[in-house]
Structure formats: structure tokens, C-alpha cells
């Protein structure tokens, strides 16, 4: 009995440490080396179980340096891109954040411990439902998932301190700029064939500034007319 318990216990510990050591390696070898330095962001990436957000058949590759398919023709972003976008948003624990493109729910899980509340919208129902149950199962309490078109933002919950888009519209949706708080910041990929990650800032007086920060490749933001 005692031996069985010890064996089970060491199996559980081994499982745990195997993904955690993969996550630490991922942060050291893919993220710090590319220049991400925010300690809170690095800590969240080391402690978020990315393998729980990908289909079980490819869980072994969850911490690899690449995007991965999550079904419905969609992908979970490369870990470095998640880290870069999270760092650039400069969030704090009072922030209300909107994400467009829940996908697997991983980016929302990474945002969760850094802010007060995360609202995330996904247009594909099966993905929205799956992300919602993954996040609930793992105990993320401050993330609200909604199934729908996020192109027009989430007016009922606006304004937001931060907005993150993880699907690329051809142009920045004006509704998203409107739903940004004065002093707020948004990061999203923009473009069709060529995409750039763009940071949009709204000053306290309401002036908008835009800056291109990185060439990227994301799935398109669907916008049914
Ligand atoms: N952030 C995700 C990855 C997103 S992939 C993660 O961490 O896994 C981009 C997602 O945006 C896809 O799931 C796609 O279905 C969704 N999407 C595309 N257009 C959308 C729209 N208009 N509104 C909401 N979601 C959209």
C-alpha cells in the first residue's frame, strides 16, 4: 500500500516536473534570448501548462519553438510571440483586458494572473467551448469567454485598459480604438498578405498613435459583413 502510494506520488511529481522543466527551458532558450525581460511575464510563461491547451496528440510538442494546429484550421501562437505581445502591453493588476481570437485559450491564461479581468471572444464555436472548459478545468476564474465576432469588440464591457488581437484584420477596426480607455494600449497583427504587429496607444487626451513593431504571420480576423 505504502509502496503503491509512493510510486503514484513519484509518477505525479515526474509528470509535473517534466512539463515544468520544458516550460523553463522554453523561456530560457526561446524567449529570454530574444530579448523579453519582464520578470512577471517570464514567470507566467514558466508556470502556464501550455500542453493542456493543444490537442492531446501533439502535447509533446507544446513547448517547441513554433505555432501549432489547434483544430478548425486555427493555430496557437509561437511561445515567443505570446511573450512579446504580453510584455509590450505593460499590464498591471487593475487592468481589464479584451482579447480577440481566444483560440486554445492559452494567451488568455497567460494574461489572467497579470490583470484583474480578461474578456476573450472567439468566432468558432467549438474552439470557444473547448477554451472555456480548459480554462475552467485549470481554475482560471477571471477569464470570460464569449462565442462571437470580435471585430466590433465587446461594447457591453468597454472601455478596456488593454486590447490584444491574435487574428489579423486588414485594417485596425475603428470599434476597437473606440473601446480603448484613454491611457490605454492595444497590440494586434494587421494586414493581409504582409502583416505587421501594430501597437496603438490612446493618450489621456484621446490622441491616437500607432507604431509597427514586428513582421508577423497570424490567421485572418474573419469579419462577416
Ligand atoms: N490566442 C489564441 C490563438 C489565436 S488563433 C491562443 O492562445 O491559442 C486566432 C483565433 O482567432 C482563431 O481561433 C480564430 O478562429 C479567431 N478569430 C478569427 N476571426 C475572429 C473574429 N472576428 N472574432 C473572434 N475570433 C476570431
Amino acid at each position: 500500500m505504502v509502496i503503491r502510494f509512493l510510486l503514484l506520488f513519484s509518477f505525479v511529481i515526474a509528470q509535473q516536473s517534466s512539463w515544468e522543466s520544458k516550460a523553463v527551458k522554453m523561456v530560457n532558450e526561446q524567449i529570454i534570448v530574444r530579448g523579453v525581460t519582464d520578470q512577471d511575464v517570464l514567470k507566467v510563461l514558466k508556470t502556464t501548462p501550455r500542453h493542456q491547451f493543444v490537442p492531446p496528440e501533439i502535447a509533446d510538442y507544446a513547448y517547441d519553438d513554433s505555432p501549432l494546429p489547434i483544430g478548425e484550421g486555427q493555430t496557437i501562437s509561437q511561445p515567443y510571440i505570446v511573450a512579446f505581445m504580453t510584455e509590450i502591453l505593460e499590464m498591471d493588476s487593475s487592468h481589464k483586458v479584451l482579447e480577440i481570437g481566444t483560440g486554445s485559450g492559452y494567451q488568455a491564461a497567460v494574461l489572467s494572473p497579470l490583470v484583474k479581468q480578461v474578456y476573450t471572444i472567439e468566432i468558432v464555436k467549438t474552439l470557444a467551448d473547448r477554451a472555456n472548459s480548459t480554462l475552467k478545468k485549470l481554475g482560471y476564474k477571471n477569464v470570460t469567454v464569449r462565442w462571437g465576432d470580435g471585430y466590433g469588440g465587446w461594447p457591453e464591457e468597454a472601455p478596456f485598459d488593454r486590447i490584444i488581437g491574435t487574428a489579423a484584420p486588414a485594417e485596425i477596426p475603428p470599434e476597437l480604438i473606440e473601446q480603448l480607455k484613454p491611457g490605454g494600449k492595444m497590440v494586434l497583427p494587421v494586414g493581409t498578405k504582409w502583416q505587421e504587429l501594430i501597437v496603438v496607444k490612446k493618450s489621456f487626451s484621446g490622441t491616437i498613435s500607432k507604431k509597427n513593431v514586428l513582421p508577423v504571420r497570424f490567421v485572418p480576423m474573419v469579419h462577416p459583413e
Side-chain angles (χ1 to χ4, degrees):
M1 182 65 193
V2 174
I3 294 194
R4 249 170 84 191
F5 176 76
L6 281 176
L7 276 175
L8 182 68
F9 184 70
S10 47
F11 177 72
V12 171
I13 296 290
Q15 288 280 306
Q16 176 106 359
S17 60
S18 79
W19 80 257
E20 281 180 338
S21 61
K22 279 186 180 179
V24 168
K25 198 165 178 271
M26 170 189 93
V27 167
N28 291 335
E29 295 178 4
Q30 304 169 29
I31 294 171
I32 296 176
V33 292
R34 293 190 178 114
V36 174
T37 57
D38 185 311
Q39 291 303 312
D40 294 332
V41 174
L42 297 175
K43 185 173 165 212
V44 178
L45 280 144
K46 282 179 189 166
T47 52
T48 305
R50 186 169 155 96
H51 63 288
Q52 301 272 11
F53 292 88
V54 302
E57 323 77 85
I58 55 166
D60 279 354
Y61 308 104
Y63 300 89
D64 288 4
D65 194 9
S66 64
L68 291 171
I70 53 169
E72 312 292 333
Q74 304 303 330
T75 53
I76 179 172
S77 307
Q78 181 190 11
Y80 166 63
I81 294 294
V82 174
F84 180 80
M85 291 173 81
T86 306
E87 177 174 68
I88 218 163
L89 280 175
E90 299 179 302
M91 290 164 293
D92 74 41
S93 57
S94 71
H95 284 167
K96 187 173 178 181
V97 181
L98 172 67
E99 180 192 26
I100 319 296
T102 316
S104 68
Y106 176 69
Q107 173 74 68
V110 166
L111 298 171
S112 162
L114 299 168
V115 300
K116 188 162 182 208
Q117 188 69 39
V118 180
Y119 294 88
T120 178
I121 312 182
E122 170 55 53
I123 203 163
V124 178
K125 182 144 186 6
T126 48
L127 293 179
D129 290 346
R130 196 187 309 148
N132 192 35
S133 56
T134 307
L135 290 161
K136 291 286 161 305
K137 180 182 82 182
L138 295 173
Y140 290 95
K141 295 204 169 35
N142 63 344
V143 181
T144 310
V145 181
R146 171 164 137 182
W147 167 48
D149 178 7
Y151 189 91
W154 192 323
E156 301 83 357
E157 289 298 341
F160 298 96
D161 299 283
R162 299 288 186 265
I163 299 178
I164 176 169
T166 62
E171 305 283 342
I172 304 174
E175 293 90 336
L176 297 185
I177 295 183
E178 270 163 38
Q179 291 174 29
L180 204 54
K181 252 186 210 173
K185 201 172 181 185
M186 165 159 74
V187 62
L188 82 172
V190 179
T192 46
K193 196 159 178 223
W194 305 105
Q195 297 170 5
E196 284 274 345
L197 209 53
I198 297 190
V199 173
V200 179
K201 283 189 191 170
K202 188 185 265 186
S203 75
F204 287 98
S205 60
T207 313
I208 304 299
S209 66
K210 294 173 201 165
K211 195 173 151 194
N212 292 17
V213 290
L214 195 72
V216 283
R217 205 180 156 81
F218 277 79
V219 298
M221 189 180 284
V222 179
H223 182 45
E225 291 302 325

